[in-house]
Amino acid sequence: MKNQFDLSGKVALVTGASYGIGFAIASAMAEAGAVIVFNDIKQELVDKGAAAYAEKGITAHGYVCDVTDEDAVNALVSKVEAEVGVIDILVNNAGIIKRIPMLEMSAKDFRQVIDVDLNAPFIVSKAVIPSMIKKGGGKIINICSMMSELGRETVSAYAAAKGGLKMLTRNIASEYGQYNIQCNGIGPGYIATPQTAPLREVQPDGSKHPFDQFILAKTPANRWGEASDLGGPAVFLASSASDFVNGHILYVDGGILAYIGKQP
Ligand code: NAP
Ligand code: GCO
């Protein structure tokens, strides 16, 4: 059974994985035997990420690349293929959020979120699929969100992007399943990372942020997720244990989507 989850000999590219969820997913994949490749927009973050992996005893190959830049992504994939090997596992993790009420949001801001959270997974997937086909298969994991299913105030662009990413996931599965490529999504619940730090800030009087209390009341597990909670699900979707799972979104949310919320 253990062998089904073994990633030995596999090359995994996790985008935006210097810290946060991407870092935790890449670390879990390394523990399962994969060779890790990651990217970030800035050299200093790549260096920081490489040091953090090294501290865990993981040799990770870090590259500077903006995932919204198609030429840069194509160059990155060629470089990785030459220097490390064909990418067997792609995790489209890099993402941004802008919390702005829709009527105050500029079209420019809206487009930027769509660009990173939806267009980039299209660009990076498109760059890796041809070699996966030649090699006889591959795994693509798109990091979706609660907002692939739910809306809330201030996150119109993010919800539109993550809803779109769910459908891109199903479409890649539909179009390339015949080549033994499985494309699935992970929909994390509310996870304690820098992205959600503003929602968890302790108030000047020492009390919890109202959003923090709101999330605890909405989560049967009664806690925020840790980035490490995503490791096991990601290894499953990257491994042969999931070879007949395709186009699925695995929500890792402590039960949020099953729950109406804590009764008053
Ligand atoms: P994070 O802490 O903000 O990390 C995101 C990473 O993506 C950062 O390293 C960031 O680099 C990188 N990135 C952003 N734009 C990029 C670009 N154009 N090219 C390359 N890298 C880029 O976020 P996280 O919380 O770990 O989230 C990771 C993913 O999970 C995102 O897709 C997010 O939407 C999703 N997610 C998060 C949660 C949550 O509760 N935290 C829940 C559901 C889904 P910089 O630091 O340079 O910007
Ligand atoms: C927000 C949060 C969420 C989470 C996550 C939920 O402002 O509501 O940032 O969008 O990051 O994606 O799954």
Side-chain angles (χ1 to χ4, degrees):
M1 194 60 206
K2 205 173 158 231
N3 288 348
Q4 285 209 331
F5 297 91
D6 184 14
L7 302 181
S8 298
K10 304 286 184 193
V11 175
L13 167 62
V14 187
T15 66
S18 298
Y19 59 85
I21 289 174
F23 180 81
I25 286 177
S27 300
M29 288 184 177
E31 217 178 297
V35 175
I36 301 305
V37 180
F38 72 100
N39 74 293
D40 220 306
I41 325 178
K42 297 176 217 118
Q43 184 65 51
E44 60 183 278
L45 276 173
V46 171
D47 294 343
K48 234 174 148 179
Y53 285 112
E55 207 173 294
K56 294 188 86 174
I58 298 167
T59 309
H61 305 262
Y63 296 87
V64 175
C65 177
D66 178 344
V67 287
T68 64
D69 179 340
E70 188 165 18
D71 292 340
V73 167
N74 289 337
L76 170 72
V77 171
S78 300
K79 209 167 175 195
V80 171
E81 288 186 356
E83 293 178 1
V84 187
V86 167
I87 294 158
D88 302 286
I89 301 158
L90 164 65
V91 183
N92 281 310
N93 166 78
I96 59 167
I97 191 165
K98 287 178 189 271
R99 299 183 184 97
I100 306 170
M102 186 175 145
L103 297 187
E104 292 162 28
M105 188 168 209
S106 67
K108 187 171 173 240
D109 278 338
F110 189 92
R111 282 196 193 99
Q112 195 194 344
V113 175
I114 299 286
D115 213 22
V116 180
D117 293 358
L118 180 57
N119 295 344
F122 162 77
I123 288 170
V124 188
S125 301
K126 195 180 151 197
V128 303
I129 286 172
S131 294
M132 287 181 172
I133 292 175
K134 269 192 219 141
K135 201 171 170 181
K139 302 274 186 182
I140 299 175
I141 302 169
N142 291 327
I143 304 303
C144 299
S145 165
M146 294 292 89
M147 273 65 213
S148 298
E149 299 293 337
L150 303 170
R152 86 169 186 85
E153 300 82 350
T154 74
V155 296
S156 58
Y158 186 79
K162 294 294 188 179
L165 187 57
K166 173 180 70 177
M167 289 313 300
L168 178 65
T169 303
R170 291 179 180 163
N171 213 85
I172 293 173
S174 306
E175 212 163 332
Y176 298 103
Q178 61 183 313
Y179 299 105
N180 190 30
I181 291 172
Q182 288 85 47
C183 179
N184 293 289
I186 290 179
Y190 278 79
I191 313 294
T193 69
Q195 195 225 53
T196 54
L199 307 176
R200 287 177 285 108
E201 267 168 10
V202 177
Q203 300 301 281
D205 67 0
S207 65
K208 279 177 181 268
H209 192 296
F211 200 91
D212 188 343
Q213 296 171 8
F214 167 66
I215 289 306
L216 294 181
K218 291 290 284 181
T219 311
N222 197 36
R223 66 171 175 89
W224 283 69
E226 298 297 332
S228 58
D229 287 319
L230 283 326
V235 168
F236 166 63
L237 290 178
S239 71
S240 63
S242 61
D243 277 354
F244 204 54
V245 180
N246 212 355
H248 182 74
I249 311 297
L250 175 52
Y251 289 101
V252 184
D253 65 352
I256 291 178
L257 289 178
Y259 191 40
I260 194 168
K262 206 171 193 62
Q263 65 184 39

